[in-house]
């Protein structure tokens, strides 16, 4: 393994260790490719090797991969973090500080769909806050076009839907008394 490959792996582990939520490939590449540290193919290879070594966990939802560091990844980072220069760590810290809210918001609202049993589709919509599930809603719809539309709209309207449901359910409880 080359020193450059080791550096890219440590950068990914360091980034994932510095936050308390998952990151998407797009978010990781925004920093690593955007700052010119490496190219698309090397980053892809780095993520595959980290996953194969069980240093990161990958969850694929619809067409998006979500990455998180594993306990083994944390141990590895603890052992080799000194190989990551202060300049690179500072670069990562500044980028995370500037982008933390955007990253968290992007990964806290998730929607996916899959075929049901009778030519229908099940749409799973989730909203998370850190590791806590705020809402996990599964809807049955008759076709893929509706499933895609709901996934797209969920990203925009999850907070409104959640607020509406809580409001309605609380109103029902108080009006029954």
């Amino acid at each position: 393994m080359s020193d450059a490959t080791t550096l890219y792996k440590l950068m990914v582990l360091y980034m994932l260790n510095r936050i308390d939520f998952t990151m998407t490939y797009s978010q990781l590449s925004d920093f690593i490719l955007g700052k010119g540290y490496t190219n698309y193919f090397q980053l892809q290879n780095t993520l595959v090797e980290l996953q194969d070594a069980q240093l990161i966990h990958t969850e694929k939802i619809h067409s998006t991969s979500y990455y998180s560091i594993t306990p083994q990844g944390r141990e590895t980072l603890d052992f080799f973090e000194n190989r990551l220069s202060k300049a690179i760590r500072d670069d990562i810290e500044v980028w995370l500080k500037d982008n933390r809210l955007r990253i968290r918001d992007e990964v806290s609202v998730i929607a996916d769909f899959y075929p049901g049993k009778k030519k229908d589709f099940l749409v799973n919509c989730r909203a998370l806050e850190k590791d806590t599930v705020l809402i996990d809603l599964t809807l049955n719809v008759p076709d893929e076009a509706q499933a895609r539309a709901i996934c797209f709209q969920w990203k925009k309207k999850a907070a409104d839907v959640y607020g509406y449901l809580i409001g309605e359910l609380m109103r029902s409880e108080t009006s029954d008394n």
Side-chain angles (χ1 to χ4, degrees):
M1 173 171 28
S2 75
D3 287 340
T5 301
T6 300
L7 175 68
Y8 308 142
K9 289 178 181 179
L10 289 172
M11 290 172 70
V12 169
L13 292 173
Y14 187 83
M15 290 180 77
L16 293 174
N17 193 54
R18 299 299 295 153
I19 57 173
D20 55 0
F21 43 86
T22 61
M23 289 182 76
T24 65
Y25 174 82
S26 176
Q27 293 163 340
L28 288 166
S29 69
D30 185 39
F31 173 76
I32 294 173
L33 302 181
K35 295 283 187 175
Y37 282 108
T38 190
N39 62 48
Y40 170 84
F41 298 105
Q42 182 60 52
L43 179 57
Q44 283 289 103
N45 187 54
T46 297
L47 293 171
V48 168
E49 287 182 14
L50 285 169
Q51 185 177 346
D52 288 348
Q54 298 180 339
L55 301 178
I56 64 172
H57 172 73
T58 306
E59 181 179 6
K60 187 144 179 123
I61 298 176
H62 202 45
S63 60
T64 304
S65 293
Y66 295 84
Y67 299 95
S68 59
I69 191 167
T70 65
Q72 287 175 280
R74 279 190 181 86
E75 287 178 26
T76 300
L77 181 62
D78 287 345
F79 191 72
F80 292 108
E81 186 175 339
N82 62 337
R83 292 190 183 181
L84 205 53
S85 74
K86 181 172 177 0
I88 291 174
R89 284 186 306 223
D90 290 348
D91 206 13
I92 291 170
E93 292 297 336
V94 167
W95 188 86
L96 287 173
K97 181 180 179 225
D98 292 345
N99 293 281
R100 185 175 305 274
L101 291 176
R102 177 185 60 85
I103 294 168
R104 189 195 67 214
D105 289 347
E106 287 174 357
V107 298
S108 64
V109 176
I110 302 165
D112 195 12
F113 68 90
Y114 45 92
K117 292 181 180 179
K118 298 180 181 180
K119 296 184 181 182
D120 55 352
F121 287 84
L122 297 171
V123 183
N124 180 246
C125 303
R126 292 188 295 166
L128 311 167
E129 187 166 301
K130 294 190 180 183
D131 290 334
T132 302
V133 176
L134 298 176
I135 185 171
D136 188 345
L137 176 67
T138 301
L139 303 168
N140 187 307
V141 296
D143 60 54
E144 185 175 346
Q146 284 183 350
R148 285 186 187 281
I150 289 169
C151 286
F152 179 75
Q153 291 297 324
W154 180 251
K155 297 267 186 196
K156 294 184 202 175
K157 298 183 178 184
D160 294 337
V161 171
Y162 176 74
Y164 173 78
L165 287 173
I166 293 295
E168 284 299 304
L169 292 171
M170 295 306 293
R171 217 175 338 275
S172 297
E173 183 177 287
T174 57
S175 65
D176 289 345
N177 290 337

